[in-house]
Amino acid sequence: MDMHSSQTWQKVGAAGILTVDLAALRRNYRRIADMVAPSQAGAVVKANAYGLGAEHVAQALFAEGCRTFFVAEYGEAVALRARLSRSAEIVVLNGLQPGAEADCAQRGIIPVLNSLEQTARWRSIATLCSDGLPALLQVDTGMARLGMSHAEAASLAANPGMLAGIRLRYIMSHLGCADETEHPHNHAQAQEMQRISALFPTIPLSFGNSGGSFLGEAFRGALVRPGIALYGGRSTDRPGDTVEPVVRVEGAIIQTRLVDDGTAVGYSASHTTTGKRRLATVSLGYADGILRALSNRGAFYAGAQRLPIVGRVSMDSTIIDITDLEGEDLKLGSLVEFIGPHQSLEAVAAWADTISWEVLTSLGARYQRHYI
Ligand SMILES: *Cc1c(COP(=O)(O)O)cnc(C)c1O
């Protein structure tokens, strides 16, 4: 990925450069698909593939053999449907929106049915189609977020007419603690999933996210739904469960200055210099995912040199202290690394006291995105 480090920001004209290594993405998919076989691996590409670009990501994963793509919102499914081969299936996790039924059926988008009410609305369209319509059925096994209760699932199993015309592809559920491998809630959810599965003995399961895929067979089902691990994020607390980095994020220097001892830096004057310092302003701010929690604690990198963030992160810029930089100085347009070989996605998340999922999905729309 070093090919872009010589690139200057003037040529690009964007806030910064976001480089997505599609080959690494494909290797991460391959690693997970091989690990979970004979289960299948889908891919979660919601929120614009966690900010990386849903179309590019989905096409690369399709080329690697992925055939099931999960989005959160119906609008995301419509946008992706127009860009992907008909042999790719697109599933909407957040359920069947009222009013979307006919459009959803006509476009061949597959809803997750999260309630009896959604099931009834899908059935009323499905019974009009000679071949019926496909759907996933989500059951809540311990998150209280989306999906029907055990009792509701049992009522469907006992009254198959409520599913008339609906081809149930998978019974799905989502793990709430899969990133903590020893968390007892994982086993409680797996047991509940087995009880739900017993209600629908002929329907395969879709269970694990990235963390669940690594946790083991009991947490996978026939189809896993990895997201973050495809994009290079750590999904569990076990050292061996690693994937390759996929994302590099760089900003450009837009001004440098020498300041005296006692200079107030940034909004709220939350930092004051000690001694003469050399400061640089970077073209990325919290609107570009340089989370405000990184004020006075995070850093950018020039090569291996850590350049600490001083003062508050602004909306469109961030001030860094470059006094300790050895060798060549930073000048207008020089690129500095936010995520890359010297500062991992996890390191940024840890400094910001958050998770890699939030760091990636906060990156925003102002980057020039490069796909290599
Ligand atoms: C977001 C999501 C996933 C992917 O989770 P990761 O932890 O990023 O792998 C899988 N399933 C559901 C239902 C989700 O909402």
Side-chain angles (χ1 to χ4, degrees), residues 295-325:
S295 298
N296 286 310
R297 44 181 295 153
F300 282 77
Y301 278 77
Q305 177 69 51
R306 185 175 196 270
L307 305 171
I309 292 173
V310 285
R312 294 265 159 86
V313 174
S314 299
M315 184 190 294
D316 321 291
S317 59
T318 303
I319 304 162
I320 56 177
D321 188 320
I322 62 170
T323 315
D324 293 340
L325 193 63

Side-chain angles (χ1 to χ4, degrees), residues 36 39-43 68 70 91 136 170 204-208 220-226:
V36 303
S39 299
Q40 299 287 308
T68 311
F70 293 88
V91 180
L136 276 68
Y170 297 94
L205 304 181
S206 172
F207 199 14
R220 292 176 186 154
L223 174 71
V224 294
R225 305 182 309 274

Side-chain angles (χ1 to χ4, degrees), residues 78-138:
V78 170
L80 196 57
R81 183 69 284 170
R83 305 284 172 188
L84 272 186
S85 155
R86 296 305 297 184
S87 58
E89 299 197 319
I90 301 176
V91 180
V92 183
L93 292 168
N94 278 4
L96 183 64
Q97 227 174 290
E101 301 84 0
D103 191 69
C104 185
Q106 190 253 321
R107 289 180 199 271
I109 292 169
I110 304 178
V112 171
L113 303 175
N114 284 322
S115 67
L116 293 181
E117 183 272 338
Q118 290 177 17
T119 306
R121 278 192 283 112
W122 198 231
R123 180 182 68 230
S124 65
I125 297 255
T127 47
L128 306 176
C129 305
S130 49
D131 298 334
L133 289 172
L136 276 68
L137 193 76
Q138 177 157 226

